[in-house]
Amino acid sequence: MEVARVRALRGPNLWSRRTAIEAIVHCNEEERDLSRMPGFIKHLRAIYPQLQVLPVPDGGVPRSAAHVIEIATLSLQAQAGCPVSFSRCGQTPEAGVFQVVVEYSEESVGRAALDIAQRLVQATLDDAPFNVESEVARLREMDEDERLGPSTGSIVNAALERGIPYRRLTSGSLVQFGWGSRQRRIQAAEIDRTSAIAQSIAQDKQLTKQLLKAAGVPVPDGREVKSIEEGWAAACALGLPVVVKPKDGNHGRGVTVNIETKPHLEAAYRAAMEAGTQVIVERYIPGHDYRFLVVGDKLIAAARRDPPFVIGNGIHTVTELVEEVNRDPRRGEGHATSLTKISFDEIAFTCLELQGLDPSSIPAKGLRVVLRNNANLSTGGTATDVTDEVHPDLAARVVAAAQMVGLDICGVDVVCQTVLKALEEQNGGIVEVNAAPGLRMHLSPSYGTGRKVGEAIIAEMFGTGTDARIPVIAVTGTNGKTTTVRLTAHILKQAGLRVGMTLTDGVFVQGTQIDSGDCSGPRSARSVLMHPDVDAAVLETARGGILREGLAFDRCQVAVVTNIGAGDHLGLNYITTVEDLAVLKRVIVQNVAATGYAVLNADDPIAARCGAACPGGVIYFSRNPANPISVTHRAQGRRVVVVDGDAISCVEGDELCRLPLADIPLTFGGRIGFQVENALAAVAAAWGAGVDWTHIRAGLATFLPSVAATPGRFNVMDYRGATVIADYGHNPDAMVALVQAVTAMPAKRRMVVISAAGDRRDEDIRDQTRILGNAFDSVILYQDACQRGRADGEVLALLRDGLSNATRTCEVSEITGEFVAIDNALARLAAGDLCLILIDQVEEALAYLTERCREANSAAVA
Amino acid sequence: MNQYDIRILDLIFLRGPNRWSYRPALEALVDIGALEESPSNTLPGFVARLVEWLPGLRKHECSYEEPGGFVRRLEEGTWVGHILEHVTLELQTQAGRPAGFGRARSTATTGVYHVVVRTTQEDLTRTCLLKARELILAAIEGKAFDVGTALRELRVLADRKGFGPSTACIVDAAVNAKIPVVPLSQGNLVILGHGTRQRRIWTAETDRTSAIAESIASDKDLAKQLIAPCGIPVPEGHLVRHADAAVEAAEDIGYPVAVKPGEASRGEAVFLDLRDGEAVRVAFAAAREVDSTVIVEKYIEGDEHRLLVVGDKVVAATRAEPFRVTGNGRDTLHHLLSVALNEIAQAAAPSAVPLTIEDFEDFPTVRLALARLNLTFDAVPAAGVKVELPRHAKIGVDVLEQVHPSIAAQATLAARVVGLDIAGVDIVARDISQPLATQGGALIEINAGPALPTHLPRGAHGSHHAGEAIVRHLFPGDDHGRIPLIGISGSGDTTAVARMVGFLLHLHGVAVGVACGNGLYLGERRVDHNDSANWAAGQRLLVNRTLNAAVIETTAESLLREGLPYDRCQVGLVTSLAADENLARFGVQDPEQLTKLLRTQVDVVLPQGIAVLNADDAGVLALAEHSDGEVLIYSRDAQSPAVLEALAKGRRAVYRDEDELVFAHGTEAERLPLPPTFDAPACLPAAACAWAANVPVGLIVSGIVGFPAATTVTDEAILPNN
């Protein structure tokens, strides 16, 4: 058994909408049917009894070792606490080769689980021992490290609830919500508008107090002191009892309250100096500690925080009582649970000492023994939700405090007797204001109701009604993707949107190229969705990326399938038939938003069938007014975009918009069939994205076919009176379309220059020339350096082969080198001739051709 | 016992506009004793010593309005109070905090003077004044005085307590833009503007500088990961934790490489152009001291540039220059560098804090460079030997005009990607006027809270330009950060008027605060019961972010002791002028002096503001000429000549006409039935003030009726005076 290749599918993919690990597993003859290995199952049960290997139904596919890897990878994750449920194991066309797909919630945990599963199967095969328990423990620990903490998690969940997409930017708590220009960020309980200055103010307790006082918020008087003597003088001046705390501390470290004597103050001063660099003495306000959470200008939650304590029973020592309390299973370690174990440490001992106790004392029955003078959950305190009891004046003061400091998410610490009364009525006060407050005590308080904090924060960031998405239009298909993307982007631009687009030849934002090379994969799509200046995205979504990594988005507004035709790139990655390819390209259709549209070519039966999988609406487009699919769709009152006479007509129910082909220069007045098809797709896509007709019309009218606007897509040039057409077409469907298009153009003699990429099936290469052979008088075959794995001359031979039954071609020549071939062709052209040049090195060849034509024509003028 | 003494009887820090100046000032009451009989020209050697110690005095113009004017006065004979003023001013200037204005005035008592010096930093001015006294006495007596030590001490004080250079240039720009500045006594926070219109700065951070963006910027690797996908070239790099990993990364990337700490900025431990493993190890060790993670990245050849992005614009750009000195065989490297630095500092804007060599000494890159050259700061380079220290951001050349638009666009985009409203973007390029892509240049890092370029020569796009840009970013268009501010002064009824105006504004739906003798009010809530007709209470209102308007009463005594708590106001009211014996101890005795004092309230009225004056008090009415804005008068007498004249000139007036209250504007008038409670003396000025503050007249009249009942405070608030 061998795991040959592992991929992480980080977005919706061929198998599901969830993130998943995909592995190719090779099994030998024996491993393909476990029923033939009785020892295997038995041993597996022994080392991993929780694993349920389901019996095979009669006549079903026998269970293989690959199936065990599948269910073990899933089960291990589930046992480690990951919320996963989807898995599958499929036989590939190759015997003994399986595709195993298992959902993950954290990529590294999923990969680790797969690795463990693989070792588990190997151990079972080798009859070796294997400790599943410890592996699960390790996995659990890894998951806890990786997954979002409860505070951030609550905000992310609230976002998901509203359909807001998110993406983690680091392994920590930095998360981005939304796309493009609508993106926002959080980091734990901090949002991107949280002001750094406000945080600095909150850090400076004296400055905070000065500002709060200015805002009429009651605060305990206090002052900074530089020595114990000064501290005692201040305490006497302020009036005993007092609180001593570090100026720049946090988590309640170094804070001592209710100080009435000088020795107590001395100890407190030293404790404060250990936790900070400067010490503050302030008036002690008796009462409970409350934490108020303010989001924006609203009070969202309030909790009373009680310090950890035990109650004496006259029998047990303090140590024993603490141990008893800590045995409560709800009390965990650290920050993850609603209760934490009581810390029984130096601070607790000092606190006991002040009550005349030590750890071995046996407190009297009913005596409440406090173990700390602060109520932080992390040291064993408890939180009780009191949100519904807060007096409106008290709430107003707390909100005023947050606003005065300038914090949009703010934890306000209040000391008072009760929240039922205003602070002024009970001499209470605000003692501290905290940036990036912990949310745990409000999300899952020890006692009382949890509050919808995440929802409040998301509402503060996004207001109501928006899902922070920008319109995303995904385009796939065998031919016409690039032109459809460019034209759609151009139309969106007319609507005032700043458009980002990905293409097979680069990433463009507002017309500026920001990346080059093949950018039709998810990485490039993500870079557009992350770009702060993008209002709408048009993404060419090629098959490779979907297979490799899944989609870069959870859903799109519009998914366009231009055509599937006879397919392209067949034979790679277990995609062997046109139907397989349709299933793959259908992935974008399956992930259209409920309010969105799939734009499908009704003239391409396989593409048209994708409609059934679309959760949103479907817009069919067709060059044939009588196409039964679009006719039916239209009759059902749904949207169609069809050629009707000399115009494109867009219909939904009774609504009709006509766009004359004469006003769409890309189509050469409707003569170039495949460009008409691209225009139909782009019109439908823009319609699906909600662009109004004025802008669609303007976009169509101003999109001029040229080397600049549509490089390598039917670029028509004039060379001494001959028509030269450069195109990047490289599959049989493209040849059919090109032949159709050039046949519509008048010419004396027709010539074509063609090569082919080596990574296509033999028949696909042959087919290309077979098609051309019936339309061109003269064919120049060329090969260049890049043969993509083929031997020298192999591609040329196939191309020649395709011409063997040509009905029109009477002249064939073979040339090495793309530019030599171009020169050769140009040299043979006479005025009135037509030459189709199928270029390979697009940018260079176009530049070369443009230059040659310019030279020739300026020479002619001269 | 010395023959002469200068006794300082009282020192008053006037925090706001006052009887001497519109700006904060220190006022000293000085008794020059026997020196009253001895003007400067009669004191042998005094003038010469003084000018020798403080040659800067030669520039003082004094009453002759040309440099040398003051020295001429000294030679002709002037009194010690006047000299104390000039010497204090000169000491402040030498300490790096020039203040400009000073004044010395005799009082009713012979030999006792008021010496007033404008101040930007109270403790500095106070120390300067005391030092000036010592220096003058020493110069009179012909004793030694260590001027150098005194100036050093003053500079230390100025550096420690004053604004840092970045903050200072933003504050200066705000002042120039007529935006009020409220420095807080605590911390580095400065509030620009008032109430809800305020914005805050903390060095080069604004209240909109995102904390998350700052943490992204400080994580250099993360920042690069976010910036690169937007098409901005960044050098390939790896984060490493061990020296071996650093070398491995360097080999993977390919030499030459740069090594720097993963966090922290300011170029303290950035090592460039490392060409072998050994160099990488040395640099790694030094960078590791700054942060536990270290970045090894491709070294990009070219000059380092710092682009300052504010909002969506690049507002400053400098090219870092290597720092070169040439030995002369006599002086130490330390001395040579100090001299070179001073040259730079002198070329810079006058407000710039001079650089000291200590700014460079601690940097590992400087240490390492010296070690490589086998030099120390104490070394004496031979004549003609050139010593070059690494490029340093503090020494730069202005290149703002040259920056290629595509680079500027990339710098602002990078700031947007990270989320910073103000950012320092470091770019390495051979030629900043060409696109990065064509020359293999790159964005190296992006910094939050960047230091502003304070050391550029005069005329360059330096700190002044940057400060202005930040202020424009904070206050776009004609926003001056002001809320309607109603200032109330006078000899009578001011507390009740303040309360009533506050109440009327509150009724009008304005979030208003009132600071008056009766306490401090936010809306209807009395948050402080203490007398709040003072500077601190006024400031307390103005920093309150929730207020849309403020009503501030200032007593004559507060005006004398502290000054006004604001620089300008929308509405300035003076009720009446009546002699007050309490003011005698400030030297304010006769009505004329009182008029001079209270005129400050009218002086600070904004050009688009309104002075509200009691037409029934001739002294008050005479203040009208001092208003930069409109004048609105009120009177109990419908036939008052002042009212008739004002209306004839098309101005506004509020007056009582039998049973009616008339709000008149030129020929137009609204007449409303007089409220039954209108006899309280505060009602008429309050009505006039509220009208000036745009409260509708109908609401004013009904508000006056509702005032006693609608408020929870005791009736003392509305009684004539408290």
Side-chain angles (χ1 to χ4, degrees), chain B residues 91 94-96 124 127 131 145-160 356 358:
Chain B
L91 290 178
Q94 291 302 319
L124 177 69
T127 312
K131 276 274 183 264
F145 188 86
D146 187 348
V147 182
T149 305
L151 289 181
R152 261 194 301 284
E153 282 168 17
L154 292 172
R155 272 176 209 147
V156 169
L157 182 65
D159 277 357
R160 199 175 60 226
T356 64
E358 281 71 26

PDB file of all heavy atoms in Angstrom, chain B residues 91 94-96 124 127 131 145-160 356 358:
ATOM      1  N   LEU B  91      17.188  82.446  26.350  1.00  0.00           N
ATOM      2  CA  LEU B  91      17.480  81.123  26.903  1.00  0.00           C
ATOM      3  C   LEU B  91      16.504  80.089  26.336  1.00  0.00           C
ATOM      4  O   LEU B  91      16.892  78.970  26.005  1.00  0.00           O
ATOM      5  CB  LEU B  91      17.409  81.140  28.435  1.00  0.00           C
ATOM      6  CG  LEU B  91      18.536  81.912  29.155  1.00  0.00           C
ATOM      7  CD1 LEU B  91      18.323  81.899  30.669  1.00  0.00           C
ATOM      8  CD2 LEU B  91      19.914  81.331  28.816  1.00  0.00           C
ATOM      9  N   GLN B  94      17.622  79.278  22.866  1.00  0.00           N
ATOM     10  CA  GLN B  94      18.802  78.415  22.882  1.00  0.00           C
ATOM     11  C   GLN B  94      18.452  76.994  23.316  1.00  0.00           C
ATOM     12  O   GLN B  94      19.124  76.043  22.945  1.00  0.00           O
ATOM     13  CB  GLN B  94      19.877  78.985  23.810  1.00  0.00           C
ATOM     14  CG  GLN B  94      20.512  80.272  23.296  1.00  0.00           C
ATOM     15  CD  GLN B  94      21.152  80.078  21.919  1.00  0.00           C
ATOM     16  OE1 GLN B  94      21.782  79.055  21.671  1.00  0.00           O
ATOM     17  NE2 GLN B  94      20.961  81.022  21.028  1.00  0.00           N
ATOM     18  N   ALA B  95      17.392  76.832  24.095  1.00  0.00           N
ATOM     19  CA  ALA B  95      16.977  75.501  24.536  1.00  0.00           C
ATOM     20  C   ALA B  95      16.207  74.777  23.434  1.00  0.00           C
ATOM     21  O   ALA B  95      15.821  73.622  23.591  1.00  0.00           O
ATOM     22  CB  ALA B  95      16.118  75.601  25.791  1.00  0.00           C
ATOM     23  N   GLY B  96      15.999  75.458  22.312  1.00  0.00           N
ATOM     24  CA  GLY B  96      15.316  74.809  21.194  1.00  0.00           C
ATOM     25  C   GLY B  96      13.818  75.027  21.195  1.00  0.00           C
ATOM     26  O   GLY B  96      13.089  74.355  20.480  1.00  0.00           O
ATOM     27  N   LEU B 124       9.849  74.732  31.420  1.00  0.00           N
ATOM     28  CA  LEU B 124      11.046  75.227  30.744  1.00  0.00           C
ATOM     29  C   LEU B 124      11.136  76.744  30.887  1.00  0.00           C
ATOM     30  O   LEU B 124      12.182  77.283  31.242  1.00  0.00           O
ATOM     31  CB  LEU B 124      11.010  74.831  29.258  1.00  0.00           C
ATOM     32  CG  LEU B 124      12.186  75.362  28.446  1.00  0.00           C
ATOM     33  CD1 LEU B 124      13.486  74.686  28.844  1.00  0.00           C
ATOM     34  CD2 LEU B 124      11.943  75.189  26.953  1.00  0.00           C
ATOM     35  N   THR B 127      12.080  77.690  34.380  1.00  0.00           N
ATOM     36  CA  THR B 127      13.506  77.482  34.636  1.00  0.00           C
ATOM     37  C   THR B 127      14.340  78.534  33.910  1.00  0.00           C
ATOM     38  O   THR B 127      15.317  79.042  34.451  1.00  0.00           O
ATOM     39  CB  THR B 127      13.915  76.062  34.205  1.00  0.00           C
ATOM     40  OG1 THR B 127      12.964  75.149  34.735  1.00  0.00           O
ATOM     41  CG2 THR B 127      15.293  75.695  34.717  1.00  0.00           C
ATOM     42  N   LYS B 131      16.946  81.030  35.642  1.00  0.00           N
ATOM     43  CA  LYS B 131      18.338  81.044  35.165  1.00  0.00           C
ATOM     44  C   LYS B 131      18.698  82.441  34.658  1.00  0.00           C
ATOM     45  O   LYS B 131      19.823  82.914  34.878  1.00  0.00           O
ATOM     46  CB  LYS B 131      18.503  80.048  34.004  1.00  0.00           C
ATOM     47  CG  LYS B 131      18.753  78.617  34.454  1.00  0.00           C
ATOM     48  CD  LYS B 131      20.228  78.349  34.700  1.00  0.00           C
ATOM     49  CE  LYS B 131      20.447  76.885  35.082  1.00  0.00           C
ATOM     50  NZ  LYS B 131      20.519  76.669  36.518  1.00  0.00           N
ATOM     51  N   PHE B 145      29.793  82.822  35.266  1.00  0.00           N
ATOM     52  CA  PHE B 145      28.530  82.100  35.061  1.00  0.00           C
ATOM     53  C   PHE B 145      28.765  81.085  33.947  1.00  0.00           C
ATOM     54  O   PHE B 145      29.212  81.441  32.854  1.00  0.00           O
ATOM     55  CB  PHE B 145      27.403  83.060  34.672  1.00  0.00           C
ATOM     56  CG  PHE B 145      26.057  82.399  34.628  1.00  0.00           C
ATOM     57  CD1 PHE B 145      25.281  82.277  35.778  1.00  0.00           C
ATOM     58  CD2 PHE B 145      25.579  81.855  33.442  1.00  0.00           C
ATOM     59  CE1 PHE B 145      24.052  81.654  35.733  1.00  0.00           C
ATOM     60  CE2 PHE B 145      24.349  81.224  33.400  1.00  0.00           C
ATOM     61  CZ  PHE B 145      23.579  81.126  34.548  1.00  0.00           C
ATOM     62  N   ASP B 146      28.474  79.803  34.243  1.00  0.00           N
ATOM     63  CA  ASP B 146      28.736  78.751  33.256  1.00  0.00           C
ATOM     64  C   ASP B 146      27.556  78.646  32.294  1.00  0.00           C
ATOM     65  O   ASP B 146      26.613  77.906  32.502  1.00  0.00           O
ATOM     66  CB  ASP B 146      28.968  77.414  33.968  1.00  0.00           C
ATOM     67  CG  ASP B 146      29.401  76.318  33.006  1.00  0.00           C
ATOM     68  OD1 ASP B 146      29.303  76.526  31.765  1.00  0.00           O
ATOM     69  OD2 ASP B 146      29.812  75.258  33.480  1.00  0.00           O
ATOM     70  N   VAL B 147      27.618  79.434  31.239  1.00  0.00           N
ATOM     71  CA  VAL B 147      26.498  79.495  30.284  1.00  0.00           C
ATOM     72  C   VAL B 147      26.298  78.141  29.612  1.00  0.00           C
ATOM     73  O   VAL B 147      25.177  77.667  29.450  1.00  0.00           O
ATOM     74  CB  VAL B 147      26.759  80.576  29.210  1.00  0.00           C
ATOM     75  CG1 VAL B 147      25.572  80.679  28.257  1.00  0.00           C
ATOM     76  CG2 VAL B 147      27.008  81.918  29.867  1.00  0.00           C
ATOM     77  N   GLY B 148      27.412  77.483  29.230  1.00  0.00           N
ATOM     78  CA  GLY B 148      27.328  76.193  28.527  1.00  0.00           C
ATOM     79  C   GLY B 148      26.531  75.173  29.316  1.00  0.00           C
ATOM     80  O   GLY B 148      25.600  74.556  28.793  1.00  0.00           O
ATOM     81  N   THR B 149      26.880  75.017  30.596  1.00  0.00           N
ATOM     82  CA  THR B 149      26.181  74.026  31.427  1.00  0.00           C
ATOM     83  C   THR B 149      24.707  74.382  31.556  1.00  0.00           C
ATOM     84  O   THR B 149      23.831  73.520  31.441  1.00  0.00           O
ATOM     85  CB  THR B 149      26.829  73.980  32.826  1.00  0.00           C
ATOM     86  OG1 THR B 149      28.217  73.724  32.646  1.00  0.00           O
ATOM     87  CG2 THR B 149      26.206  72.903  33.687  1.00  0.00           C
ATOM     88  N   ALA B 150      24.451  75.673  31.775  1.00  0.00           N
ATOM     89  CA  ALA B 150      23.064  76.099  31.934  1.00  0.00           C
ATOM     90  C   ALA B 150      22.252  75.756  30.677  1.00  0.00           C
ATOM     91  O   ALA B 150      21.145  75.221  30.764  1.00  0.00           O
ATOM     92  CB  ALA B 150      23.010  77.596  32.205  1.00  0.00           C
ATOM     93  N   LEU B 151      22.819  76.016  29.505  1.00  0.00           N
ATOM     94  CA  LEU B 151      22.090  75.747  28.262  1.00  0.00           C
ATOM     95  C   LEU B 151      21.874  74.249  28.070  1.00  0.00           C
ATOM     96  O   LEU B 151      20.802  73.813  27.640  1.00  0.00           O
ATOM     97  CB  LEU B 151      22.847  76.312  27.052  1.00  0.00           C
ATOM     98  CG  LEU B 151      22.852  77.840  26.939  1.00  0.00           C
ATOM     99  CD1 LEU B 151      23.598  78.268  25.690  1.00  0.00           C
ATOM    100  CD2 LEU B 151      21.421  78.380  26.905  1.00  0.00           C
ATOM    101  N   ARG B 152      22.880  73.447  28.409  1.00  0.00           N
ATOM    102  CA  ARG B 152      22.714  71.993  28.272  1.00  0.00           C
ATOM    103  C   ARG B 152      21.566  71.499  29.140  1.00  0.00           C
ATOM    104  O   ARG B 152      20.730  70.718  28.707  1.00  0.00           O
ATOM    105  CB  ARG B 152      24.011  71.274  28.652  1.00  0.00           C
ATOM    106  CG  ARG B 152      24.834  70.882  27.416  1.00  0.00           C
ATOM    107  CD  ARG B 152      25.928  69.899  27.750  1.00  0.00           C
ATOM    108  NE  ARG B 152      26.876  70.406  28.737  1.00  0.00           N
ATOM    109  CZ  ARG B 152      27.841  71.298  28.464  1.00  0.00           C
ATOM    110  NH1 ARG B 152      27.983  71.749  27.229  1.00  0.00           N
ATOM    111  NH2 ARG B 152      28.662  71.702  29.401  1.00  0.00           N
ATOM    112  N   GLU B 153      21.536  71.997  30.382  1.00  0.00           N
ATOM    113  CA  GLU B 153      20.462  71.576  31.287  1.00  0.00           C
ATOM    114  C   GLU B 153      19.091  71.948  30.718  1.00  0.00           C
ATOM    115  O   GLU B 153      18.139  71.175  30.772  1.00  0.00           O
ATOM    116  CB  GLU B 153      20.635  72.234  32.658  1.00  0.00           C
ATOM    117  CG  GLU B 153      21.708  71.568  33.500  1.00  0.00           C
ATOM    118  CD  GLU B 153      22.064  72.408  34.741  1.00  0.00           C
ATOM    119  OE1 GLU B 153      21.253  73.311  35.102  1.00  0.00           O
ATOM    120  OE2 GLU B 153      23.129  72.158  35.303  1.00  0.00           O
ATOM    121  N   LEU B 154      19.030  73.149  30.160  1.00  0.00           N
ATOM    122  CA  LEU B 154      17.751  73.606  29.602  1.00  0.00           C
ATOM    123  C   LEU B 154      17.344  72.745  28.410  1.00  0.00           C
ATOM    124  O   LEU B 154      16.169  72.415  28.245  1.00  0.00           O
ATOM    125  CB  LEU B 154      17.846  75.075  29.178  1.00  0.00           C
ATOM    126  CG  LEU B 154      17.988  76.079  30.335  1.00  0.00           C
ATOM    127  CD1 LEU B 154      18.263  77.470  29.790  1.00  0.00           C
ATOM    128  CD2 LEU B 154      16.728  76.087  31.203  1.00  0.00           C
ATOM    129  N   ARG B 155      18.334  72.374  27.596  1.00  0.00           N
ATOM    130  CA  ARG B 155      18.012  71.547  26.426  1.00  0.00           C
ATOM    131  C   ARG B 155      17.497  70.180  26.840  1.00  0.00           C
ATOM    132  O   ARG B 155      16.569  69.639  26.243  1.00  0.00           O
ATOM    133  CB  ARG B 155      19.246  71.371  25.540  1.00  0.00           C
ATOM    134  CG  ARG B 155      19.354  72.489  24.530  1.00  0.00           C
ATOM    135  CD  ARG B 155      20.607  72.384  23.705  1.00  0.00           C
ATOM    136  NE  ARG B 155      20.982  73.732  23.312  1.00  0.00           N
ATOM    137  CZ  ARG B 155      22.214  74.155  23.150  1.00  0.00           C
ATOM    138  NH1 ARG B 155      23.230  73.333  23.359  1.00  0.00           N
ATOM    139  NH2 ARG B 155      22.440  75.389  22.787  1.00  0.00           N
ATOM    140  N   VAL B 156      18.127  69.629  27.889  1.00  0.00           N
ATOM    141  CA  VAL B 156      17.680  68.323  28.381  1.00  0.00           C
ATOM    142  C   VAL B 156      16.223  68.434  28.838  1.00  0.00           C
ATOM    143  O   VAL B 156      15.387  67.598  28.504  1.00  0.00           O
ATOM    144  CB  VAL B 156      18.588  67.837  29.534  1.00  0.00           C
ATOM    145  CG1 VAL B 156      17.967  66.631  30.231  1.00  0.00           C
ATOM    146  CG2 VAL B 156      19.967  67.489  28.987  1.00  0.00           C
ATOM    147  N   LEU B 157      15.949  69.496  29.567  1.00  0.00           N
ATOM    148  CA  LEU B 157      14.585  69.703  30.062  1.00  0.00           C
ATOM    149  C   LEU B 157      13.615  69.834  28.881  1.00  0.00           C
ATOM    150  O   LEU B 157      12.534  69.236  28.873  1.00  0.00           O
ATOM    151  CB  LEU B 157      14.554  70.972  30.923  1.00  0.00           C
ATOM    152  CG  LEU B 157      13.219  71.324  31.576  1.00  0.00           C
ATOM    153  CD1 LEU B 157      12.825  70.259  32.583  1.00  0.00           C
ATOM    154  CD2 LEU B 157      13.308  72.686  32.262  1.00  0.00           C
ATOM    155  N   ALA B 158      14.023  70.591  27.872  1.00  0.00           N
ATOM    156  CA  ALA B 158      13.150  70.802  26.707  1.00  0.00           C
ATOM    157  C   ALA B 158      12.891  69.481  25.997  1.00  0.00           C
ATOM    158  O   ALA B 158      11.767  69.193  25.594  1.00  0.00           O
ATOM    159  CB  ALA B 158      13.798  71.797  25.749  1.00  0.00           C
ATOM    160  N   ASP B 159      13.939  68.667  25.864  1.00  0.00           N
ATOM    161  CA  ASP B 159      13.776  67.386  25.173  1.00  0.00           C
ATOM    162  C   ASP B 159      12.911  66.437  25.956  1.00  0.00           C
ATOM    163  O   ASP B 159      12.136  65.677  25.402  1.00  0.00           O
ATOM    164  CB  ASP B 159      15.147  66.724  24.971  1.00  0.00           C
ATOM    165  CG  ASP B 159      15.828  67.270  23.742  1.00  0.00           C
ATOM    166  OD1 ASP B 159      15.194  68.092  23.064  1.00  0.00           O
ATOM    167  OD2 ASP B 159      16.967  66.872  23.473  1.00  0.00           O
ATOM    168  N   ARG B 160      13.084  66.452  27.270  1.00  0.00           N
ATOM    169  CA  ARG B 160      12.398  65.450  28.072  1.00  0.00           C
ATOM    170  C   ARG B 160      10.911  65.741  28.153  1.00  0.00           C
ATOM    171  O   ARG B 160      10.087  64.851  28.044  1.00  0.00           O
ATOM    172  CB  ARG B 160      13.008  65.419  29.472  1.00  0.00           C
ATOM    173  CG  ARG B 160      12.698  64.134  30.204  1.00  0.00           C
ATOM    174  CD  ARG B 160      13.401  64.078  31.541  1.00  0.00           C
ATOM    175  NE  ARG B 160      13.004  65.169  32.381  1.00  0.00           N
ATOM    176  CZ  ARG B 160      13.862  65.910  33.080  1.00  0.00           C
ATOM    177  NH1 ARG B 160      15.143  65.665  33.016  1.00  0.00           N
ATOM    178  NH2 ARG B 160      13.426  66.896  33.829  1.00  0.00           N
ATOM    179  N   THR B 356      22.260  64.286  17.892  1.00  0.00           N
ATOM    180  CA  THR B 356      23.509  64.119  18.618  1.00  0.00           C
ATOM    181  C   THR B 356      24.128  62.810  18.181  1.00  0.00           C
ATOM    182  O   THR B 356      23.441  61.925  17.679  1.00  0.00           O
ATOM    183  CB  THR B 356      23.274  64.075  20.139  1.00  0.00           C
ATOM    184  OG1 THR B 356      22.493  62.930  20.427  1.00  0.00           O
ATOM    185  CG2 THR B 356      22.587  65.319  20.634  1.00  0.00           C
ATOM    186  N   GLU B 358      25.047  60.544  19.849  1.00  0.00           N
ATOM    187  CA  GLU B 358      24.518  59.411  20.607  1.00  0.00           C
ATOM    188  C   GLU B 358      23.356  58.733  19.875  1.00  0.00           C
ATOM    189  O   GLU B 358      23.067  57.569  20.108  1.00  0.00           O
ATOM    190  CB  GLU B 358      24.086  59.858  22.010  1.00  0.00           C
ATOM    191  CG  GLU B 358      25.226  60.016  23.003  1.00  0.00           C
ATOM    192  CD  GLU B 358      26.118  61.218  22.702  1.00  0.00           C
ATOM    193  OE1 GLU B 358      25.646  62.194  22.084  1.00  0.00           O
ATOM    194  OE2 GLU B 358      27.306  61.153  23.058  1.00  0.00           O
TER     195      GLU B 358
END
